[in-house]
Coordinates of all heavy atoms in Angstrom, one line a residue:
M1 N 0.9 -1.2 0.0 CA 0.0 0.0 0.0 C 0.9 1.2 0.0 O 1.8 1.4 0.8 CB -0.9 0.0 1.3 CG -1.9 1.1 1.4 SD -2.8 1.1 2.9 CE -4.3 0.3 2.3
T2 N 0.6 2.2 -0.9 CA 1.4 3.4 -0.9 C 0.9 4.4 0.2 O -0.2 4.1 0.7 CB 1.2 4.2 -2.3 OG1 -0.1 4.5 -2.4 CG2 1.7 3.3 -3.5
I3 N 1.7 5.4 0.4 CA 1.3 6.4 1.4 C -0.1 7.0 1.0 O -1.0 7.2 1.8 CB 2.3 7.5 1.7 CG1 3.6 6.8 2.2 CG2 1.9 8.6 2.6 CD1 4.8 7.7 2.3
E4 N -0.1 7.3 -0.3 CA -1.3 7.9 -0.9 C -2.6 7.0 -0.7 O -3.6 7.5 -0.3 CB -1.1 8.2 -2.4 CG -2.3 8.9 -3.0 CD -2.0 9.3 -4.5 OE1 -1.2 8.5 -5.2 OE2 -2.4 10.3 -5.0
A5 N -2.4 5.7 -0.9 CA -3.5 4.7 -0.8 C -3.9 4.6 0.7 O -5.1 4.5 1.0 CB -3.1 3.4 -1.3
F6 N -2.9 4.7 1.6 CA -3.2 4.6 3.0 C -4.0 5.9 3.4 O -5.1 5.7 4.1 CB -1.9 4.6 3.8 CG -2.1 4.6 5.3 CD1 -2.5 3.4 6.0 CD2 -2.0 5.8 6.1 CE1 -2.8 3.4 7.4 CE2 -2.2 5.8 7.4 CZ -2.6 4.6 8.1
Q7 N -3.6 7.0 3.0 CA -4.3 8.3 3.3 C -5.8 8.2 2.8 O -6.7 8.6 3.5 CB -3.6 9.5 2.8 CG -4.2 10.8 3.3 CD -3.3 12.0 3.0 OE1 -2.2 11.9 2.4 NE2 -3.8 13.2 3.4
K8 N -5.9 7.7 1.6 CA -7.3 7.6 1.0 C -8.1 6.6 1.8 O -9.3 6.8 2.0 CB -7.1 7.1 -0.5 CG -8.4 6.7 -1.2 CD -9.2 7.9 -1.6 CE -10.3 7.6 -2.6 NZ -11.3 6.7 -2.1
Q9 N -7.5 5.5 2.2 CA -8.2 4.5 3.0 C -8.7 5.1 4.3 O -9.9 4.9 4.7 CB -7.3 3.3 3.3 CG -7.8 2.2 4.2 CD -8.9 1.4 3.6 OE1 -9.4 1.7 2.5 NE2 -9.3 0.3 4.3
I10 N -7.9 5.9 5.0 CA -8.2 6.5 6.3 C -9.4 7.5 6.0 O -10.3 7.7 6.8 CB -7.0 7.1 6.9 CG1 -6.0 6.1 7.3 CG2 -7.4 7.9 8.2 CD1 -6.5 5.0 8.2
E11 N -9.3 8.2 4.9 CA -10.3 9.2 4.5 C -11.7 8.5 4.3 O -12.7 8.9 4.8 CB -10.0 9.9 3.2 CG -9.0 11.1 3.4 CD -8.6 11.7 2.1 OE1 -9.4 11.6 1.1 OE2 -7.6 12.5 2.1
D12 N -11.6 7.3 3.6 CA -12.8 6.6 3.4 C -13.5 6.1 4.7 O -14.7 6.1 4.8 CB -12.6 5.4 2.4 CG -12.2 5.8 1.0 OD1 -12.5 7.0 0.7 OD2 -11.8 4.9 0.2
I13 N -12.6 5.7 5.6 CA -13.1 5.2 6.9 C -13.6 6.3 7.8 O -14.7 6.2 8.4 CB -12.1 4.3 7.6 CG1 -11.6 3.2 6.7 CG2 -12.6 3.8 8.9 CD1 -10.4 2.4 7.3
Y14 N -12.8 7.4 7.9 CA -13.1 8.4 9.0 C -13.3 9.8 8.6 O -13.6 10.6 9.5 CB -11.8 8.4 10.0 CG -11.5 7.0 10.6 CD1 -10.4 6.3 10.3 CD2 -12.4 6.5 11.6 CE1 -10.1 5.1 10.9 CE2 -12.1 5.3 12.2 CZ -10.9 4.6 11.8 OH -10.6 3.4 12.4
Y15 N -13.1 10.2 7.3 CA -13.1 11.6 7.0 C -14.3 12.4 7.5 O -14.2 13.4 8.1 CB -12.9 11.8 5.5 CG -12.7 13.3 5.2 CD1 -11.5 13.9 5.3 CD2 -13.8 14.1 4.9 CE1 -11.2 15.2 5.1 CE2 -13.6 15.5 4.6 CZ -12.3 16.0 4.8 OH -12.1 17.4 4.6
T16 N -15.5 11.8 7.3 CA -16.8 12.5 7.6 C -16.8 12.9 9.1 O -17.0 14.0 9.5 CB -18.0 11.7 7.2 OG1 -17.9 11.4 5.9 CG2 -19.3 12.5 7.5
R17 N -16.5 11.9 10.0 CA -16.6 12.0 11.4 C -15.5 13.0 11.8 O -15.7 13.9 12.7 CB -16.4 10.7 12.1 CG -16.7 10.7 13.6 CD -16.1 9.6 14.3 NE -16.5 8.3 13.7 CZ -15.9 7.1 14.0 NH1 -14.9 7.1 14.9 NH2 -16.2 6.0 13.4
D18 N -14.3 12.9 11.3 CA -13.1 13.7 11.7 C -13.4 15.2 11.2 O -13.0 16.1 11.9 CB -11.8 13.2 11.1 CG -11.4 11.9 11.7 OD1 -11.9 11.5 12.8 OD2 -10.5 11.2 11.2
A19 N -14.0 15.3 10.1 CA -14.3 16.7 9.6 C -15.3 17.4 10.5 O -15.2 18.6 10.8 CB -14.8 16.6 8.1
E20 N -16.3 16.6 11.0 CA -17.3 17.2 11.9 C -16.6 17.6 13.2 O -17.0 18.6 13.8 CB -18.4 16.1 12.2 CG -19.4 16.0 11.0 CD -20.3 14.8 11.2 OE1 -20.3 14.1 12.2 OE2 -21.0 14.5 10.2
R21 N -15.6 16.8 13.7 CA -14.9 17.1 14.9 C -14.1 18.3 14.8 O -13.9 19.1 15.7 CB -14.1 15.9 15.3 CG -13.4 16.1 16.7 CD -12.4 15.0 17.0 NE -13.0 13.6 16.9 CZ -12.7 12.7 16.0 NH1 -11.8 13.0 15.1 NH2 -13.2 11.6 16.0
G22 N -13.5 18.5 13.6 CA -12.6 19.7 13.3 C -11.2 19.4 13.7 O -10.8 18.5 14.4
V23 N -10.3 20.3 13.1 CA -8.9 20.2 13.3 C -8.4 20.3 14.7 O -7.6 19.4 15.2 CB -8.1 21.2 12.4 CG1 -6.6 21.2 12.7 CG2 -8.3 20.9 10.9
P24 N -8.8 21.3 15.5 CA -8.2 21.4 16.9 C -8.5 20.2 17.7 O -7.5 19.7 18.4 CB -9.0 22.6 17.4 CG -9.4 23.4 16.2 CD -9.7 22.4 15.2
L25 N -9.7 19.6 17.7 CA -10.0 18.5 18.5 C -9.4 17.2 18.0 O -8.9 16.4 18.7 CB -11.5 18.3 18.6 CG -12.1 17.7 19.9 CD1 -11.5 18.4 21.1 CD2 -13.6 17.8 19.9
T26 N -9.3 17.1 16.6 CA -8.7 15.9 16.0 C -7.2 15.9 16.4 O -6.6 14.9 16.6 CB -8.9 15.9 14.5 OG1 -10.3 15.9 14.3 CG2 -8.2 14.7 13.8
F27 N -6.6 17.1 16.4 CA -5.2 17.2 16.8 C -4.9 16.7 18.2 O -4.0 16.0 18.5 CB -4.7 18.7 16.6 CG -3.2 18.8 16.9 CD1 -2.3 18.4 15.9 CD2 -2.7 19.3 18.1 CE1 -0.9 18.5 16.2 CE2 -1.3 19.4 18.3 CZ -0.5 18.9 17.4
T28 N -5.9 17.0 19.1 CA -5.7 16.5 20.5 C -5.8 15.0 20.5 O -5.1 14.3 21.3 CB -6.7 17.1 21.5 OG1 -8.0 16.6 21.2 CG2 -6.7 18.6 21.5
W29 N -6.6 14.4 19.7 CA -6.7 12.9 19.6 C -5.4 12.3 19.1 O -4.9 11.3 19.5 CB -7.9 12.5 18.7 CG -9.2 12.6 19.3 CD1 -9.9 13.7 19.7 CD2 -10.0 11.5 19.7 NE1 -11.1 13.4 20.3 CE2 -11.2 12.0 20.3 CE3 -9.9 10.1 19.6 CZ2 -12.2 11.2 20.8 CZ3 -10.9 9.3 20.1 CH2 -12.1 9.8 20.7
F30 N -4.8 13.0 18.1 CA -3.5 12.6 17.5 C -2.5 12.6 18.6 O -1.7 11.6 18.8 CB -3.1 13.6 16.4 CG -1.7 13.5 15.9 CD1 -1.2 12.4 15.3 CD2 -0.8 14.5 16.2 CE1 0.1 12.3 14.9 CE2 0.5 14.4 15.8 CZ 0.9 13.3 15.1
V31 N -2.4 13.7 19.4 CA -1.4 13.8 20.5 C -1.6 12.7 21.5 O -0.7 12.1 22.0 CB -1.4 15.2 21.1 CG1 -0.6 15.3 22.3 CG2 -1.0 16.2 20.1
E32 N -2.9 12.4 21.8 CA -3.2 11.3 22.7 C -2.7 10.0 22.2 O -2.1 9.2 23.0 CB -4.7 11.2 22.9 CG -5.2 10.6 24.2 CD -6.7 10.7 24.4 OE1 -7.2 11.8 24.5 OE2 -7.3 9.6 24.4
E33 N -2.8 9.7 20.9 CA -2.3 8.5 20.3 C -0.8 8.5 20.4 O -0.2 7.4 20.6 CB -2.7 8.4 18.9 CG -4.2 7.9 18.7 CD -4.5 6.6 19.4 OE1 -3.6 5.8 19.5 OE2 -5.7 6.4 19.7
V34 N -0.1 9.6 20.2 CA 1.3 9.7 20.3 C 1.7 9.3 21.8 O 2.7 8.6 22.0 CB 1.9 11.1 20.0 CG1 3.4 11.2 20.3 CG2 1.7 11.3 18.5
G35 N 0.9 9.8 22.7 CA 1.2 9.4 24.1 C 1.1 7.9 24.4 O 1.8 7.3 25.1
E36 N 0.1 7.3 23.7 CA -0.1 5.8 23.9 C 1.1 5.1 23.2 O 1.6 4.1 23.8 CB -1.4 5.4 23.2 CG -2.6 5.8 24.0 CD -3.9 5.3 23.4 OE1 -3.9 4.4 22.5 OE2 -5.0 5.9 23.8
L37 N 1.6 5.6 22.1 CA 2.8 5.0 21.5 C 4.0 5.2 22.5 O 4.8 4.2 22.7 CB 3.1 5.7 20.2 CG 4.4 5.3 19.5 CD1 4.4 3.8 19.2 CD2 4.7 6.2 18.2
A38 N 4.1 6.3 23.1 CA 5.2 6.6 24.1 C 5.1 5.5 25.2 O 6.2 4.9 25.6 CB 5.1 8.0 24.6
K39 N 3.9 5.3 25.7 CA 3.8 4.3 26.8 C 4.2 2.9 26.4 O 4.8 2.2 27.1 CB 2.3 4.2 27.3 CG 1.9 5.3 28.3 CD 0.5 5.0 28.7 CE -0.2 6.3 29.2 NZ -1.7 6.1 29.2
E40 N 3.8 2.6 25.1 CA 4.1 1.2 24.6 C 5.6 1.1 24.4 O 6.2 0.0 24.6 CB 3.3 1.0 23.3 CG 3.0 -0.4 23.0 CD 2.3 -1.2 24.1 OE1 1.3 -0.6 24.6 OE2 2.7 -2.3 24.4
I41 N 6.3 2.2 24.0 CA 7.7 2.1 23.8 C 8.4 1.9 25.1 O 9.4 1.2 25.2 CB 8.2 3.4 23.1 CG1 7.8 3.4 21.6 CG2 9.7 3.6 23.2 CD1 8.0 4.8 20.9
R42 N 7.9 2.5 26.2 CA 8.5 2.4 27.5 C 8.3 1.1 28.2 O 9.1 0.8 29.1 CB 8.0 3.6 28.4 CG 8.6 4.9 28.1 CD 7.8 6.1 28.7 NE 7.4 5.8 30.1 CZ 8.1 6.1 31.2 NH1 9.2 6.6 31.1 NH2 7.6 5.8 32.3
K43 N 7.3 0.3 27.7 CA 7.0 -0.9 28.4 C 8.1 -1.9 28.2 O 8.7 -2.1 27.2 CB 5.7 -1.6 27.7 CG 4.5 -1.4 28.6 CD 3.3 -2.1 28.0 CE 2.0 -1.5 28.5 NZ 0.9 -1.8 27.6
Q44 N 8.4 -2.7 29.3 CA 9.4 -3.7 29.3 C 8.8 -5.0 29.9 O 8.2 -4.9 31.0 CB 10.6 -3.3 30.1 CG 11.5 -2.3 29.4 CD 12.1 -2.6 28.1 OE1 12.3 -3.8 27.8 NE2 12.2 -1.7 27.2
P45 N 8.8 -6.1 29.2 CA 9.4 -6.3 27.9 C 8.5 -5.7 26.8 O 7.3 -5.5 27.0 CB 9.5 -7.8 27.7 CG 8.4 -8.3 28.6 CD 8.3 -7.4 29.7
Q46 N 9.0 -5.3 25.6 CA 8.2 -4.8 24.6 C 7.4 -5.8 23.9 O 7.8 -6.9 23.7 CB 9.1 -4.1 23.6 CG 9.6 -2.7 24.1 CD 10.4 -1.9 23.0 OE1 10.9 -2.5 22.1 NE2 10.5 -0.6 23.2
D47 N 6.1 -5.4 23.6 CA 5.2 -6.2 22.9 C 5.1 -5.7 21.5 O 4.5 -4.6 21.2 CB 3.8 -6.1 23.6 CG 2.7 -6.9 22.9 OD1 2.9 -7.2 21.8 OD2 1.7 -7.2 23.6
I48 N 5.8 -6.4 20.6 CA 5.9 -5.9 19.2 C 4.6 -5.7 18.5 O 4.3 -4.8 17.7 CB 6.8 -6.9 18.4 CG1 8.3 -6.8 18.9 CG2 6.9 -6.5 16.9 CD1 8.9 -5.5 18.9
A49 N 3.6 -6.6 18.8 CA 2.3 -6.6 18.2 C 1.6 -5.3 18.6 O 1.0 -4.6 17.8 CB 1.5 -7.8 18.5
R50 N 1.7 -5.0 19.9 CA 1.0 -3.8 20.4 C 1.7 -2.5 19.9 O 1.1 -1.5 19.6 CB 1.1 -3.8 22.0 CG 0.1 -4.8 22.6 CD -1.3 -4.3 22.6 NE -1.5 -3.0 23.1 CZ -2.2 -2.0 22.5 NH1 -2.8 -2.3 21.4 NH2 -2.3 -0.8 23.0
L51 N 3.1 -2.5 19.8 CA 3.8 -1.4 19.3 C 3.4 -1.1 17.8 O 3.2 0.0 17.5 CB 5.3 -1.8 19.3 CG 6.2 -1.2 20.3 CD1 7.7 -1.7 20.1 CD2 6.2 0.3 20.3
R52 N 3.2 -2.2 17.1 CA 2.8 -2.1 15.7 C 1.5 -1.4 15.6 O 1.2 -0.5 14.7 CB 2.8 -3.5 15.1 CG 2.6 -3.6 13.6 CD 2.9 -5.0 13.2 NE 2.4 -5.3 11.9 CZ 1.2 -5.8 11.6 NH1 0.4 -6.2 12.6 NH2 0.8 -6.0 10.4
E53 N 0.6 -1.8 16.5 CA -0.8 -1.2 16.5 C -0.7 0.3 16.8 O -1.4 1.1 16.2 CB -1.7 -1.9 17.5 CG -2.1 -3.3 17.1 CD -2.8 -4.0 18.2 OE1 -3.4 -3.4 19.2 OE2 -2.8 -5.3 18.2
E54 N 0.1 0.6 17.8 CA 0.2 2.0 18.2 C 0.8 2.9 17.0 O 0.4 4.0 16.8 CB 1.0 2.2 19.5 CG 0.4 1.6 20.7 CD -1.0 2.2 21.0 OE1 -1.4 3.3 20.5 OE2 -1.8 1.6 21.7
F55 N 1.8 2.3 16.3 CA 2.4 3.0 15.2 C 1.3 3.2 14.1 O 1.2 4.3 13.5 CB 3.6 2.2 14.6 CG 4.9 2.6 15.1 CD1 5.5 1.8 16.1 CD2 5.5 3.8 14.8 CE1 6.7 2.2 16.7 CE2 6.7 4.2 15.3 CZ 7.3 3.4 16.3
A56 N 0.5 2.2 13.9 CA -0.6 2.3 12.9 C -1.6 3.4 13.3 O -2.1 4.2 12.5 CB -1.4 0.9 12.8
D57 N -1.9 3.4 14.6 CA -2.9 4.5 15.1 C -2.3 5.9 14.9 O -3.0 6.8 14.4 CB -3.2 4.2 16.6 CG -4.1 3.0 16.8 OD1 -4.6 2.4 15.8 OD2 -4.2 2.6 18.0
V58 N -1.1 6.1 15.3 CA -0.4 7.4 15.1 C -0.4 7.8 13.6 O -0.7 8.9 13.3 CB 1.0 7.4 15.7 CG1 1.7 8.7 15.3 CG2 0.9 7.3 17.2
F59 N -0.1 6.8 12.8 CA 0.0 7.1 11.3 C -1.4 7.4 10.8 O -1.6 8.4 10.0 CB 0.6 5.8 10.6 CG 1.1 6.1 9.2 CD1 1.5 7.4 8.8 CD2 1.1 5.0 8.3 CE1 1.9 7.6 7.5 CE2 1.6 5.2 7.0 CZ 2.0 6.5 6.6
A60 N -2.4 6.7 11.3 CA -3.8 7.0 10.9 C -4.3 8.4 11.3 O -4.9 9.1 10.5 CB -4.8 5.9 11.4
W61 N -4.0 8.8 12.5 CA -4.3 10.1 13.0 C -3.6 11.2 12.3 O -4.1 12.3 12.0 CB -4.2 10.2 14.5 CG -5.3 9.6 15.2 CD1 -5.3 8.3 15.9 CD2 -6.6 10.0 15.4 NE1 -6.5 8.0 16.4 CE2 -7.4 9.1 16.2 CE3 -7.3 11.2 15.0 CZ2 -8.7 9.3 16.5 CZ3 -8.6 11.4 15.4 CH2 -9.3 10.4 16.1
L62 N -2.3 10.9 12.0 CA -1.5 11.9 11.2 C -2.1 12.0 9.8 O -2.2 13.2 9.3 CB -0.1 11.4 11.1 CG 0.9 12.3 10.3 CD1 1.2 13.6 11.1 CD2 2.2 11.6 10.0
A63 N -2.5 10.9 9.2 CA -3.1 10.9 7.8 C -4.4 11.7 7.8 O -4.7 12.5 6.9 CB -3.3 9.5 7.3
T64 N -5.2 11.5 8.8 CA -6.5 12.2 8.9 C -6.3 13.7 9.1 O -7.0 14.5 8.4 CB -7.5 11.6 9.9 OG1 -8.8 11.7 9.4 CG2 -7.4 12.2 11.3
L65 N -5.4 14.1 9.9 CA -5.1 15.5 10.1 C -4.6 16.1 8.8 O -5.0 17.2 8.4 CB -4.0 15.7 11.2 CG -4.4 15.9 12.6 CD1 -3.2 16.0 13.5 CD2 -5.2 17.2 12.7
A66 N -3.7 15.4 8.1 CA -3.2 15.9 6.8 C -4.4 16.1 5.8 O -4.5 17.2 5.2 CB -2.2 14.9 6.2
S67 N -5.3 15.2 5.8 CA -6.5 15.3 4.9 C -7.4 16.5 5.3 O -7.8 17.2 4.4 CB -7.4 14.0 5.0 OG -6.6 12.9 4.5
L68 N -7.6 16.7 6.6 CA -8.4 17.8 7.0 C -7.8 19.1 6.6 O -8.5 20.1 6.4 CB -8.6 17.8 8.6 CG -9.5 16.7 9.1 CD1 -9.5 16.7 10.6 CD2 -10.9 16.7 8.6
L69 N -6.4 19.2 6.5 CA -5.7 20.4 6.2 C -5.3 20.5 4.7 O -4.6 21.4 4.3 CB -4.5 20.5 7.1 CG -4.9 20.8 8.6 CD1 -3.7 20.4 9.5 CD2 -5.3 22.2 8.8
G70 N -5.8 19.5 3.9 CA -5.5 19.5 2.5 C -4.1 19.2 2.1 O -3.6 19.6 1.1
I71 N -3.4 18.4 3.0 CA -2.0 18.0 2.7 C -2.0 16.6 2.2 O -2.6 15.7 2.9 CB -1.2 18.2 4.0 CG1 -1.2 19.6 4.5 CG2 0.2 17.7 3.8 CD1 -0.5 20.6 3.6
S72 N -1.3 16.3 1.1 CA -1.0 15.0 0.7 C 0.3 14.5 1.4 O 1.3 15.1 1.2 CB -0.8 14.9 -0.8 OG 0.0 13.8 -1.2
L73 N 0.1 13.4 2.2 CA 1.3 12.8 2.8 C 2.3 12.3 1.8 O 3.5 12.3 2.1 CB 0.9 11.7 3.8 CG 0.3 12.2 5.2 CD1 0.1 10.9 6.0 CD2 1.3 13.1 5.9
E74 N 1.8 11.8 0.7 CA 2.7 11.3 -0.3 C 3.6 12.4 -0.8 O 4.8 12.3 -1.0 CB 1.8 10.7 -1.5 CG 2.6 10.1 -2.6 CD 2.8 8.6 -2.5 OE1 2.0 8.0 -1.8 OE2 3.7 8.1 -3.2
D75 N 3.0 13.6 -1.1 CA 3.8 14.8 -1.5 C 4.7 15.2 -0.4 O 5.9 15.6 -0.7 CB 2.8 15.9 -1.9 CG 2.2 15.7 -3.3 OD1 2.6 14.8 -4.0 OD2 1.2 16.5 -3.6
A76 N 4.2 15.2 0.8 CA 5.0 15.7 1.9 C 6.3 14.8 2.1 O 7.4 15.3 2.3 CB 4.2 15.6 3.2
A77 N 6.1 13.5 1.9 CA 7.2 12.5 2.0 C 8.3 12.8 1.0 O 9.5 12.5 1.2 CB 6.7 11.1 1.9
K78 N 7.9 13.3 -0.2 CA 8.8 13.6 -1.3 C 9.9 14.6 -0.9 O 10.9 14.6 -1.5 CB 8.1 14.0 -2.6 CG 7.3 12.9 -3.3 CD 6.5 13.4 -4.4 CE 5.7 12.3 -5.0 NZ 4.6 12.8 -5.9
I79 N 9.6 15.4 0.1 CA 10.6 16.3 0.6 C 11.9 15.6 1.0 O 13.0 16.2 0.9 CB 10.0 17.2 1.8 CG1 8.9 18.1 1.2 CG2 11.1 18.0 2.5 CD1 8.1 18.8 2.3
Y80 N 11.8 14.3 1.4 CA 13.0 13.5 1.8 C 13.5 12.6 0.7 O 14.4 11.8 0.9 CB 12.6 12.7 3.1 CG 12.5 13.6 4.3 CD1 11.3 14.2 4.6 CD2 13.6 13.9 5.1 CE1 11.2 15.1 5.7 CE2 13.5 14.8 6.1 CZ 12.3 15.3 6.5 OH 12.2 16.2 7.5
A81 N 12.9 12.7 -0.5 CA 13.2 11.7 -1.6 C 14.6 11.8 -2.0 O 15.2 10.8 -2.4 CB 12.2 11.9 -2.7
E82 N 15.2 13.0 -2.0 CA 16.6 13.2 -2.5 C 17.6 13.3 -1.3 O 18.7 13.8 -1.5 CB 16.7 14.4 -3.3 CG 15.7 14.5 -4.5 CD 15.8 13.3 -5.5 OE1 17.0 12.9 -5.7 OE2 14.8 12.8 -6.0
G83 N 17.2 12.8 -0.1 CA 18.0 12.9 1.0 C 17.6 14.0 2.0 O 16.5 14.5 1.9
C84 N 18.5 14.4 2.9 CA 18.2 15.4 3.9 C 17.8 16.7 3.1 O 18.5 17.1 2.2 CB 19.4 15.7 4.7 SG 19.3 17.1 5.8
P85 N 16.6 17.3 3.5 CA 16.2 18.5 2.8 C 17.1 19.7 3.0 O 17.2 20.6 2.1 CB 14.8 18.8 3.5 CG 14.4 17.6 4.2 CD 15.7 16.8 4.5
K86 N 18.0 19.7 4.0 CA 18.9 20.8 4.2 C 20.2 20.6 3.4 O 20.7 21.5 2.8 CB 19.2 21.0 5.7 CG 18.0 21.6 6.4 CD 18.3 21.8 7.9 CE 17.0 22.3 8.6 NZ 17.2 22.1 10.1
C87 N 20.8 19.4 3.6 CA 22.2 19.2 3.0 C 22.1 18.3 1.8 O 23.2 18.1 1.2 CB 23.1 18.7 4.1 SG 22.8 17.0 4.5
S88 N 21.0 17.7 1.5 CA 20.8 16.7 0.4 C 21.6 15.5 0.6 O 21.7 14.6 -0.3 CB 21.2 17.3 -1.0 OG 20.4 18.5 -1.2
G89 N 22.2 15.3 1.8 CA 23.0 14.1 2.0 C 22.2 12.9 2.4 O 21.1 13.0 3.0
T90 N 22.7 11.7 2.0 CA 22.1 10.5 2.5 C 23.3 9.6 2.8 O 24.0 9.1 1.9 CB 21.2 9.7 1.5 OG1 20.2 10.6 1.1 CG2 20.7 8.4 2.0
P91 N 23.7 9.4 4.1 CA 23.0 10.0 5.3 C 23.3 11.5 5.4 O 24.2 12.1 4.7 CB 23.7 9.2 6.5 CG 25.1 8.9 6.0 CD 24.9 8.6 4.5
C92 N 22.5 12.2 6.3 CA 22.6 13.6 6.5 C 24.0 14.0 7.0 O 24.6 13.2 7.8 CB 21.6 14.0 7.6 SG 21.8 15.6 8.3
R93 N 24.5 15.1 6.5 CA 25.8 15.6 6.9 C 25.7 16.9 7.7 O 26.7 17.5 8.0 CB 26.7 15.8 5.7 CG 27.1 14.5 4.9 CD 27.9 14.8 3.7 NE 27.2 15.7 2.7 CZ 26.5 15.2 1.7 NH1 26.4 13.9 1.5 NH2 25.9 16.1 0.9
C94 N 24.5 17.3 8.0 CA 24.3 18.5 8.8 C 25.0 18.5 10.1 O 25.0 17.4 10.8 CB 22.8 18.8 9.0 SG 21.9 19.2 7.5
Ligands
LIG101 ZN1 21.4 17.3 6.6

């Protein structure tokens, strides 16, 4: 699945509800999910399946926020296609 296809899938599932909620409140949900990822990262021993789910949730909330703000994540990712956006290095030499 491409980043574009993922963003479209999240739009198909959640866009209407997320649009009704609006950007400010949706952003707080996103931050809450980042917090859940943080908790999962700190857990010992790590549960890879749960970590994977939290990464999926954070990615989904990021995608929905991008959609609400008219941003294509696929286009955004292209900023890194040629290496570090500042020094163009891969790896970064900044
Ligand atoms: Zn750099």
Side-chain angles (χ1 to χ4, degrees):
M1 182 183 261
T2 62
I3 297 172
E4 186 176 31
F6 178 77
Q7 187 168 359
K8 172 75 167 61
Q9 172 75 349
I10 297 303
E11 280 177 17
D12 290 347
I13 301 171
Y14 300 115
Y15 189 83
T16 305
R17 194 199 307 166
D18 291 345
E20 284 168 8
R21 184 187 308 110
V23 171
L25 211 49
T26 300
F27 185 76
T28 67
W29 281 71
F30 166 70
V31 172
E32 201 172 299
E33 284 300 336
V34 171
E36 287 180 20
L37 175 61
K39 276 187 208 162
E40 208 55 49
I41 288 171
R42 282 164 42 90
K43 258 185 205 160
Q44 290 299 330
Q46 280 185 340
D47 181 337
I48 295 300
R50 289 283 309 132
L51 257 180
R52 188 168 165 266
E53 286 171 25
E54 294 301 342
F55 270 101
D57 289 348
V58 167
F59 196 25
W61 282 102
L62 182 70
T64 213
L65 266 177
S67 294
L68 290 178
L69 292 162
I71 300 292
S72 157
L73 282 184
E74 182 96 20
D75 284 349
K78 284 177 187 162
I79 291 172
Y80 289 89
E82 307 300 324
C84 171
K86 286 180 187 163
C87 70
S88 302
T90 303
C92 167
R93 293 178 300 268
C94 293

